[in-house]
Amino acid sequence: MLPPRFRHSLRLRPLAVATAVATVGLFAIGGLVRGTDSGLGCSTWPTCDPGRLFPSGTIHSLIEFSHRGVVVVVTLLTTLTAIAALRARPLPRSILWPAVLAFPLVLVQAWLGRVVVVRELDPWWVTAHFVTGLLLILDVTVLAAGVTAAARPSRPRVARSFARLTVATAIVVGALLLVGTYVRASGSQLAFTDWPLMDGRLVPALGGAATPMFLHRLLAAVGSLLVLWTAIRARVAAVRDPWIVRLTSIALALFVAQVLVGAANVWTRLRPWAVVAHVALSVLIWATVVALASVATRRARDPDG
């Protein structure tokens, strides 16, 4: 018979995974909102328009309102997850705390969404909104990875140096997404109209919109190398962990696609499909590298998950 913590994890796992999937979907839809300039499709909050709860029928209002609808779903799921985790105690703190923290993070995210509308897409508030979103995705991904790993005991131990590499990769990717959010919110995506060079140079003249865009591309290059190195390290390990190999493969494939889509943003002069794909891929990459870091650090610390 499985130990109690594994039985609890098995019961909590479907709900935790559903919450993580819905949260990633929420921010992928957020990319659609940004890519189609629908951030002000609903002019008020929580209603869509003054005196009107539901959208008027314009494409922008429908897109923005669909984003709000998924927020309601994620709020419900995080509430149920927190209740399930509290009822399933005793649980490891690495599982209990993320389950409990997800709900207040959703509330903060919703409040910031209101501020973004009231402030009419002020770049700093948009960035704060997205940062909270990254924290929420981190939280629910750590939870989903944690309960999944705990429900699958007797996995091989991972080298601590590899675990540290995955954490460093996640930090760089987080910084990349943070800078990218500010670049989008401030309208600096076309600070350079060429790719991969910047004004025909590897290191351009900096200042104004050029600085955050240069930093974004620099972090993208560093992140690409780190993701590639984690994939190589996972495959040359003395004892391969199939789950970690799979996660590194997904992260690498997503990063290659993201680099190409980032180039397409420049080449197409920010066509909506390219912008939407860029944001959606960034969310998927973030969830993947967080899951990888969570699993690797758990395996390095405890071979039984």
Side-chain angles (χ1 to χ4, degrees):
M1 180 178 291
L2 287 172
R5 68 187 179 120
F6 294 140
R7 294 201 300 272
H8 294 328
S9 297
L10 285 171
R11 288 196 293 267
L12 185 59
R13 181 172 56 177
L15 192 53
V17 171
T19 302
V21 171
T23 303
V24 170
L26 169 64
F27 290 96
I29 294 174
L32 179 62
V33 171
R34 294 185 188 90
T36 57
D37 290 326
S38 302
L40 294 178
C42 291
S43 59
T44 60
W45 191 98
T47 59
C48 190
D49 293 302
R52 183 194 295 269
L53 174 61
F54 296 102
S56 60
T58 65
I59 186 63
H60 293 300
S61 64
L62 289 171
I63 291 173
E64 170 61 13
F65 196 76
S66 69
H67 181 63
R68 296 185 182 186
V70 180
V71 170
V72 174
V73 173
V74 171
T75 302
L76 177 61
L77 285 172
T78 54
T79 302
L80 294 174
T81 300
I83 293 171
L86 291 171
R87 293 183 63 184
R89 288 185 299 175
L91 285 172
R93 285 180 296 177
S94 60
I95 292 176
L96 179 61
W97 280 110
V100 172
L101 287 174
F103 177 67
L105 279 173
V106 170
L107 294 183
V108 173
Q109 177 73 358
W111 176 78
L112 286 171
R114 175 186 180 279
V115 174
V116 166
V117 173
V118 171
R119 298 280 183 167
E120 297 185 348
L121 306 182
D122 177 84
W124 287 108
W125 285 108
V126 171
T127 303
H129 183 60
F130 194 75
V131 168
T132 308
L134 294 182
L135 291 175
L136 177 59
I137 292 174
L138 183 150
D139 182 90
V140 297
T141 302
V142 166
L143 173 62
V147 295
T148 301
R152 302 172 69 180
S154 302
R155 286 289 186 174
R157 184 183 290 274
V158 170
R160 290 186 180 275
S161 61
F162 179 80
R164 289 193 293 269
L165 174 63
T166 62
V167 172
T169 301
I171 291 172
V172 170
V173 170
L176 168 63
L177 300 187
L178 174 59
V179 175
T181 301
Y182 181 78
V183 166
R184 283 192 302 274
S186 61
S188 305
Q189 301 99 309
L190 294 179
F192 308 115
T193 56
D194 52 347
W195 190 97
L197 298 179
M198 292 161 279
D199 291 338
R201 303 165 61 182
L202 282 175
V203 180
L206 300 180
T211 300
M213 191 66 234
F214 171 72
L215 180 59
H216 183 60
R217 292 197 185 183
L218 178 63
L219 287 169
V222 175
S224 298
L225 293 176
L226 286 172
V227 169
L228 175 61
W229 184 233
T230 59
I232 293 172
R233 284 283 305 273
R235 284 161 178 73
V236 301
V239 180
R240 289 187 182 184
D241 185 318
W243 195 12
I244 287 180
V245 171
R246 194 175 300 121
L247 284 171
T248 58
S249 298
I250 293 171
L252 183 59
L254 289 173
F255 225 100
V256 170
Q258 179 73 319
V259 169
L260 295 176
V261 170
N265 271 261
V266 177
W267 295 336
T268 66
R269 298 299 185 264
L270 303 179
R271 292 292 295 272
W273 69 264
V275 176
V276 172
H278 199 53
V279 177
L281 283 170
S282 70
V283 174
L284 293 173
I285 289 170
W286 176 239
T288 304
V289 297
V290 167
L292 174 61
S294 178
V295 172
T297 52
R298 179 180 291 272
R299 297 285 183 241
R301 182 176 61 250
D302 180 4
D304 291 330

